[in-house]
Amino acid sequence: MELLLFAFVVGLTVCGLTGSTMELVSGRKVAFTEPYVSPSHVLRSLAVTAGAGPFMLVNDALDARRQNRISTAALLSCGCTAIAWSLALGIVVLAIASWALRLLGFSL
């Protein structure tokens, strides 16, 4: 259980740092819109979405709820999806870090 919680916190941290950095650089709130997601820059869009996707999803869901475009149940669904996405992101980041450390000769 502790490992899953740690992976979730790592994913949440990576998502927050990525999203906050993107907001500081661009001066705009992160969302699934230009300049972050663009059909002309697919690889960049995938990288941005992988790193800050949960942050982007929550921002878009909260905006949609404020404008009464989605229900409270849909907002909760988006929140659960963001939690699962953060956990998956944390697992991937920890796996990549473990792999990189093994390549450098460190043993865990």
Side-chain angles (χ1 to χ4, degrees):
M1 186 66 189
E2 291 91 9
L3 188 57
L4 284 177
L5 185 59
F6 182 67
F8 172 70
V9 172
V10 167
L12 202 59
T13 302
V14 168
C15 173
L17 287 172
T18 305
S20 296
T21 302
M22 289 179 352
E23 282 184 350
L24 285 172
V25 169
S26 71
R28 296 181 57 196
K29 183 169 60 170
V30 292
F32 291 113
T33 59
E34 294 280 348
Y36 305 112
V37 178
S38 167
S40 61
H41 298 98
V42 175
L43 289 179
R44 184 189 71 190
S45 297
L46 287 173
V48 165
T49 302
F55 196 15
M56 297 164 85
L57 177 62
V58 170
N59 277 344
D60 282 349
L62 288 173
D63 286 344
R65 182 64 192 134
R66 283 186 205 107
Q67 298 169 1
N68 290 325
R69 291 185 291 139
I70 63 171
S71 66
T72 303
L75 178 65
L76 290 174
S77 175
C78 289
C80 291
T81 302
I83 288 170
W85 194 339
S86 294
L87 175 61
L89 178 61
I91 290 170
V92 168
V93 167
L94 288 174
I96 291 170
S98 174
W99 173 75
L101 286 174
R102 275 185 276 142
L103 280 178
L104 294 172
F106 295 99
S107 62
L108 300 176

